[in-house]
Amino acid sequence: MQDPAQFARTAGPSRPTPGPTEQLARSGPAGLVLLALLLAVYLPGFFSIPVVDRDEARFAQASRQMLESLALPAAQRDTRPFERGESGRLIAGHHAGGLAVPMVGERPRLAKPPLIYWLQTASAAVLTAGDPLADRIWHYRVPSLLSAIAACLITWRLGLAMGHARAGWLAAALLGVCPMVVWDAHQARADQLLFALTTATMAALFAVRARSIGRPTSRAWAAPVCFWIALTLGILTKGPVTPMIAALAAATISWVARDWRWLRHTRPLVGLVIAAVLLAPWLVASADAVGAETLARIWLDETLGRSASPKEGHWGPPGYHFVLLALLFWPGSLLTLHALGRAMRRSVALPPPAGPGVTRRARWKARAAGDQHALFLLAWIVPAWLVFEIVGTKLPHYPMPLYPAVALLTAIAVVDLADRVTAPPKPLPPLGGLIIWVLLGIGLTAVAPVAVASLARNPVLAAGATVGALAATGLVLAGAGAARRGRHLRAHALSIGASIALSLNLLQFVLPRTEPLRTTARLAELIGRAPPDAPVASVGYNEDSLTFATRARAVSLRPGSSDDWAASHPGGVLVLPTDAVQPLGWNAIGRVEGLNYSKGDRVDLTVYRRADQSATQTPPQPAPQSAPPEGPP
C-alpha cells in the first residue's frame, strides 16, 4: 500500500490564476464595503427596539447595577452584604457585587462569567459620561454590535489566510446578514461576544496548524499567544463553550491526520500562564464575595445541569439545530449541504486499493489529511455540533460560534462553482432544495414583517410593511432564478439584498411601531408619572423588561397579595390585571393591552396609584374596542 504522504492533498484542486477580483477582495476598500454592509443590517432598529425579554433585560440590568456601584455617590449605593433570604436564596444590596458579582435587583447573577458585564458597563459609562441615570438600552447593546462586526471581519481574514479572498469576503457577508447574527447583534447579551472570541480562537488555532505543516501565516509566537488570550476571554464570557469547541476541533484534526505532535505548537505552558493571569483575579474576588462552594455549585448546575436536562423548558430533539440552520443561516444555506458533502469527501485522503485483499478498514488506518482547509473547518463544525444536538437544553443561538466555519465552507464551494473549479453532474441546488430555500426566504423577508405589522391593526404600518415585503420577495425570486441558471454569486448577492430589505422593514420600521409588542414600554410611561423612587409592584406581568424599565424597583406579587402591598406602600405604583379587584382608595391612571411575547399570552393590565397622589394625573386611558390577536413576535 502506498505511503499516505504520496496521495494526501494539502490544498484544494487547482485553481485559476488569481484575477483582479481576487486581489480586490484582499484590499482595504473591500473591508470598508463589508463594514458598510454589516452596518446596513445592524443599525436599523438598534436604537429604537425596546428592551427584549428575557435575557437582554437581565444582562442590561446587571450591567446597569454594576455601573451604579461605581458611579453613584456612596450615600446612594445599596451595599447590604450577601446573606441567605427567607427562601434560602442568596441576596444582597443592589450594588454589593461591585465588578466581581453581577446583580439583578437583590439577586446575584453568577450563571455567566463577568466579561460581557464589564464591557457593557464600560460602554454605558462612556456613552452616558458616567451618569447611570442617563442610560438607554442601546448603550448596553454596543458590545454586541462590535462583536458581530469583529466576528465577520475575522472570518474574512481567515478566508484570506486560507488563500480564498473572494470566498472569505462572501463568507463574512453571508455570516453577517443571516437572521441569527443580525437579531443577536441587536441584543445586549453575551452570545455575540462569545461568537467573536470563539472565531478569533479558531483563527489563531488555524495559524498554529498552518505553521506546523510548513505553511506559516503569522509569526511563531503570535498565533499561540492570541489563541490562549482569545480562549481565556471566551471562558470569561461563557465558561466552557470556547475551550470545548477548540479542544474538539484540535482532537479531530489530530485523529484524522494521525498527527498529535502539532499540538505542541500551541505552547500549552504559555496558555496556563495566560489563563491564570486573566482568570485568577475574578475567581478570587467572586469566591470571596459569595463563597467558593456557592460559586462551584452554580457553575456545575449551569454546565452539567444544562447538558443533562432542559433548563427553563428549552428542549429540542436531536437534529433541532441542523433543521434550524436552513432558516437561521439564510441566505447562505442555499448551497450549505453541497458544501458540507464536498468538504467531507475532500478532507480525508485514503490510499487507492493495492489489491483485492485490501479492505476499507486497512485503507482507513493508512489515511492522511486531505484538503487541510476542509479538514480544519469540518473539525470546527462537526464534533461541537454533535454536542449541541445531544445536550438537553437547546436554544437556537447555541451553535452560532460554529457558523463562521459553515459560512467559509459554503462560500468556498460557491466561488469554486463560479470559477468552474468543480463541475457537478446535476444543477445545484436541486429543485426541491431551491423551493425550500425560496419558501424560507419569502417567509422570513416578506411574511414575517407583514404578520408582525398586522398585530398593530395600523393600516399605514401594514401598507409600509407590505411594500418592503414585495421588494424583498422580488429579490428572493430573482436570486432563485439566478441560482437555477448556475449564476451562484449573483444569486447570493441578490439574496443579501433581500436580507438588507428585511432589516430595514422589520427592525427599523415595523417592530418599533407595533404597539402590542411594546407592553413594557407603555407600562413604563404610566409608571413614570410617579416619582422616580416610588416602589412598583406587579401581578400577572413579571417580565425582566419591567425590572429594567423601573430600574429594579418592580417586585412580583402573587395573586391575592396586592391589598397587603398597597396598604404598606401608599406612595407606590401597582400593576394589576384589569379584571382584578381595584385596591380601595387607589385610582387607575392608565390601561395597557398587548402581548407578553415571552409566553405568547395576551395581557390586559391597569396601572394604579393612591387617589390622593394621582388627582393631578392624566385620567385613565379608554379601553380599546377589541384586543389584538395572540402570538409572539
Side-chain angles (χ1 to χ4, degrees):
M1 187 176 296
Q2 299 178 18
D3 184 349
Q6 297 178 5
F7 58 81
R9 300 189 305 273
T10 57
S14 59
R15 302 179 57 82
T17 302
T21 55
E22 189 77 7
Q23 295 298 326
L24 181 61
R26 297 175 175 272
S27 66
L32 293 177
V33 173
L34 177 60
L35 178 61
L37 170 63
L38 298 176
L39 292 176
V41 290
Y42 297 157
L43 290 184
F46 185 80
F47 306 99
S48 54
I49 294 176
V51 61
V52 178
D53 278 310
R54 297 183 174 119
D55 274 357
E56 179 180 52
R58 295 169 182 169
F59 275 103
Q61 181 59 34
S63 299
R64 169 190 277 167
Q65 290 181 210
M66 192 174 282
L67 174 60
E68 290 174 345
S69 71
L70 301 175
L72 287 178
Q76 298 180 24
R77 298 179 199 166
D78 180 2
T79 56
R80 287 170 292 138
F82 287 93
E83 61 180 5
R84 295 288 174 181
E86 295 180 359
S87 64
R89 298 182 62 180
L90 195 66
I91 61 172
H94 288 202
H95 310 121
L99 288 173
V101 181
M103 302 288 297
V104 176
E106 296 182 332
R107 305 187 310 275
R109 184 168 165 79
L110 294 166
K112 302 292 186 294
L115 182 57
I116 185 60
Y117 303 108
W118 294 342
L119 294 179
Q120 290 178 350
T121 297
S123 171
V126 170
L127 294 171
T128 62
D131 180 8
L133 298 180
D135 66 350
R136 299 290 182 272
I137 182 58
W138 68 267
H139 296 164
Y140 301 98
R141 292 172 174 166
V142 170
S144 293
L145 173 72
L146 297 179
S147 295
I149 292 173
C152 294
L153 293 178
I154 294 169
T155 300
W156 170 46
R157 302 308 296 181
L158 181 54
L160 298 187
M162 291 180 171
H164 298 280
R166 284 178 299 157
W169 195 97
L170 177 61
L174 293 175
L175 182 67
V177 304
C178 74
M180 183 75 266
V181 177
V182 172
W183 180 238
D184 234 53
H186 284 77
Q187 295 192 59
R189 304 193 313 184
D191 300 290
Q192 285 292 347
L193 181 60
L194 177 73
F195 176 47
L197 290 171
T198 304
T199 306
T201 299
M202 297 306 294
L205 184 63
F206 174 80
V208 171
R209 174 66 178 164
R211 176 168 289 277
S212 72
I213 61 175
R215 299 188 174 194
T217 61
S218 64
R219 296 179 181 177
W221 281 92
V225 169
C226 290
F227 170 77
W228 287 110
I229 290 175
L231 185 144
T232 306
L233 293 178
I235 296 173
L236 273 172
T237 300
K238 217 168 182 182
V241 177
T242 300
M244 177 201 73
I245 293 171
L248 288 175
T252 302
I253 293 168
S254 302
W255 174 65
V256 171
R258 297 190 299 152
D259 173 21
W260 298 85
R261 292 173 299 175
W262 73 277
L263 295 176
R264 293 179 298 179
H265 293 273
T266 60
R267 315 285 185 182
L269 292 180
V270 174
L272 289 175
V273 173
I274 291 173
V277 169
L278 293 180
L279 294 176
W282 164 65
L283 289 172
V284 171
S286 56
D288 183 63
V290 303
E293 184 180 348
T294 298
L295 207 59
R297 185 173 64 252
I298 291 172
W299 290 345
L300 191 65
D301 180 68
E302 184 68 12
T303 53
L304 297 183
R306 282 184 177 269
S307 301
S309 59
K311 287 283 188 178
E312 299 175 348
H314 299 307
W315 176 86
Y320 170 90
H321 295 298
F322 186 74
V323 171
L324 282 182
L325 180 68
L327 176 67
L328 299 182
F329 187 55
W330 195 94
S333 54
L334 178 64
L335 290 174
T336 296
L337 279 179
H338 161 72
L340 289 172
R342 176 176 179 259
M344 288 180 181
R345 292 190 297 270
R346 296 171 56 196
S347 59
V348 182
L350 298 177
V358 178
T359 65
R360 187 171 183 83
R361 181 178 180 182
R363 294 173 63 203
W364 173 253
K365 288 183 176 180
R367 69 189 178 277
D371 181 344
Q372 296 282 356
H373 303 157
L375 174 59
F376 182 87
L377 295 173
L378 281 176
W380 182 349
I381 298 167
V382 175
W385 198 288
L386 292 175
V387 170
F388 290 130
E389 294 287 11
I390 292 170
V391 296
T393 305
K394 290 183 174 66
L395 284 169
H397 60 266
Y398 278 7
M400 188 166 56
L402 313 181
Y403 276 35
V406 174
L408 281 165
L409 279 182
T410 300
I412 291 170
V414 170
V415 172
D416 280 355
L417 285 170
D419 291 346
R420 302 187 186 281
V421 173
T422 55
K426 296 180 180 180
L428 287 172
L431 181 59
L434 182 61
I435 291 173
I436 293 173
W437 183 84
V438 169
L439 292 176
L440 289 175
I442 292 176
L444 185 69
T445 65
V447 176
V450 172
V452 173
S454 69
L455 298 176
R457 301 192 175 185
N458 181 332
V460 175
L461 188 66
T466 302
V467 171
L470 290 174
T473 299
L475 290 169
V476 172
L477 294 177
R484 195 62 182 160
R485 297 191 300 273
R487 303 181 65 179
H488 299 295
L489 285 175
R490 181 179 177 83
H492 284 82
L494 289 167
S495 57
I496 287 172
S499 296
I500 296 174
L502 168 65
S503 185
L504 291 170
N505 193 13
L506 180 62
L507 301 181
Q508 181 66 33
F509 180 67
V510 174
L511 277 180
R513 294 173 174 81
T514 304
E515 287 299 299
L517 302 180
R518 299 182 68 253
T519 302
T520 296
R522 293 154 65 202
L523 286 173
E525 292 172 2
L526 297 174
I527 294 170
R529 300 177 184 179
D533 59 346
V536 180
S538 173
V539 176
Y541 188 77
N542 306 319
E543 295 302 323
D544 294 281
S545 56
L546 189 60
T547 302
F548 182 81
T550 59
R551 296 184 175 272
R553 288 179 294 137
V555 297
S556 300
L557 300 179
R558 296 187 304 272
S561 62
S562 56
D563 286 342
D564 292 339
W565 188 91
S568 58
H569 297 84
V573 179
L574 189 57
V575 180
L576 295 176
T578 297
D579 58 3
V581 177
Q582 180 171 338
L584 185 63
W586 289 58
N587 280 350
I589 62 172
R591 181 178 174 183
V592 172
E593 289 195 56
L595 292 173
N596 182 345
Y597 53 81
S598 294
K599 297 180 177 179
D601 295 338
R602 181 175 63 85
V603 293
D604 184 354
L605 304 166
T606 300
V607 181
Y608 296 94
R609 289 199 70 205
R610 280 185 62 90
D612 57 350
Q613 298 191 29
S614 59
T616 61
Q617 304 295 345
T618 305
Q621 298 176 353
Q625 295 299 313
S626 59
E630 295 188 21

